[in-house]
Amino acid sequence: MTALVDRGSRHNFEVAGHQAEVTIVPGRSAGFKYFLEIDNEPIEREIGIKAAGLSAEIGTHFVMPRVAGKGFGMTLANCGKREDGVVIIELEPGLPAHASGLHIGDVVLSVDESTIVDTNVILDKLSGATSGSVTLEVAGSSPSRLVTMPNPSLGLPNNGSLELADTACGVGVYVAAVTPWSGEGEVPGMRRGTGQIELGDVILSVDGAVTESAKETLKYLKKGPRTLTFVVAGRAVM
């Protein structure tokens, strides 16, 4: 078996008459991220998560909020450690962004196939959309989901527990370890408490606040209420 090492490179080739380029960026400790462009338009990207045995990709999905004159109803902020994308920090109930299934903490990567690098870019793109719909590329292979459960940091025996760590990509914090909730009244086949979250899940927000680091998130959990609501990055739940 031969181990392959790439310390960063760029590869150009042609696909059906179109110019394509793959850029490989090494991680700080292990792994890498790749970026694929065709005719200078980004096609896909891999989002790295630092954790032994975990997948290095949370993927992306697309949503199409439809605007009808009142705007999209979302407040955005730059992503800090990320070099592209903006994070949703507020949503107005009933307006297009909320109605399309977006949640606080979701990271918007592109609008109508144009990569978003900061809030100024996305505001310019969205300000021109006064009717119809736009296509947003959002981090997560499927829509993010809401998980409500007893606070796992209160030390109660039936609440379960979570260990969190920072992601390499700056999207939320990932679940590095989880002890399932063992509360009374468990229903066979129904996940409850921490059983709704799995190793490798990425938490985007807690109680409506965007998760900026594992340290700050755990600090909030220790002082938080008895019941918490998490937004977990979209991936298919079996």
Side-chain angles (χ1 to χ4, degrees):
M1 181 176 178
T2 302
L4 299 179
V5 178
D6 193 314
R7 301 190 182 280
S9 61
R10 183 171 293 173
H11 309 274
N12 294 284
F13 54 96
E14 187 173 295
V15 178
H18 298 274
Q19 293 301 310
E21 179 179 271
V22 172
T23 302
I24 298 175
V25 181
R28 292 183 179 180
S29 57
F32 64 89
K33 294 187 289 185
Y34 71 86
F35 303 87
L36 171 63
E37 293 186 353
I38 296 181
D39 292 338
N40 295 318
E41 286 292 333
I43 302 301
E44 60 183 81
R45 56 177 60 77
E46 185 165 299
I47 303 178
I49 300 176
K50 295 180 180 177
L54 298 185
S55 169
E57 182 172 347
I58 63 173
T60 62
H61 69 281
F62 295 89
V63 299
M64 292 186 290
R66 189 174 184 85
V67 65
K70 294 184 179 180
F72 289 88
M74 59 182 175
T75 302
L76 306 165
N78 294 332
C79 284
K81 292 188 293 182
R82 286 194 58 86
E83 295 178 355
D84 62 351
V86 294
V87 63
I88 298 173
I89 60 173
E90 290 183 16
L91 284 169
E92 295 185 45
L95 291 187
H98 178 263
S100 67
L102 291 170
H103 292 296
I104 291 174
D106 277 334
V107 176
V108 180
L109 300 171
S110 70
V111 176
D112 288 339
E113 300 184 354
S114 295
T115 300
I116 300 303
V117 294
D118 58 38
T119 54
N120 291 328
V121 175
I122 191 171
L123 290 175
D124 286 343
K125 293 290 295 184
L126 295 180
S127 63
T130 56
S131 62
S133 61
V134 297
T135 300
L136 306 179
E137 182 185 12
V138 183
S141 58
S142 62
S144 55
R145 65 187 191 276
L146 291 173
V147 173
T148 300
M149 63 179 163
N151 188 335
S153 293
L154 295 183
L156 301 178
N158 289 335
N159 279 23
S161 64
L162 296 175
E163 291 183 20
L164 306 177
D166 295 329
T167 63
C169 60
V171 175
V173 295
Y174 72 79
V175 178
V178 57
T179 301
W181 180 64
S182 57
E184 296 180 359
E186 191 71 45
V187 179
M190 180 182 295
R191 294 182 175 185
R192 300 178 65 180
T194 50
Q196 301 173 85
I197 292 181
E198 297 180 348
L199 177 68
D201 276 344
V202 176
I203 296 173
L204 300 175
S205 68
V206 183
D207 287 347
V210 175
T211 54
E212 296 182 353
S213 71
K215 180 179 179 180
E216 291 301 316
T217 302
L218 290 171
K219 185 184 298 183
Y220 173 77
L221 265 56
K222 290 178 180 178
K223 297 180 180 180
R226 296 178 64 88
T227 301
L228 301 170
T229 298
F230 296 85
V231 172
V232 182
R235 72 175 188 178
V237 180
M238 301 302 291

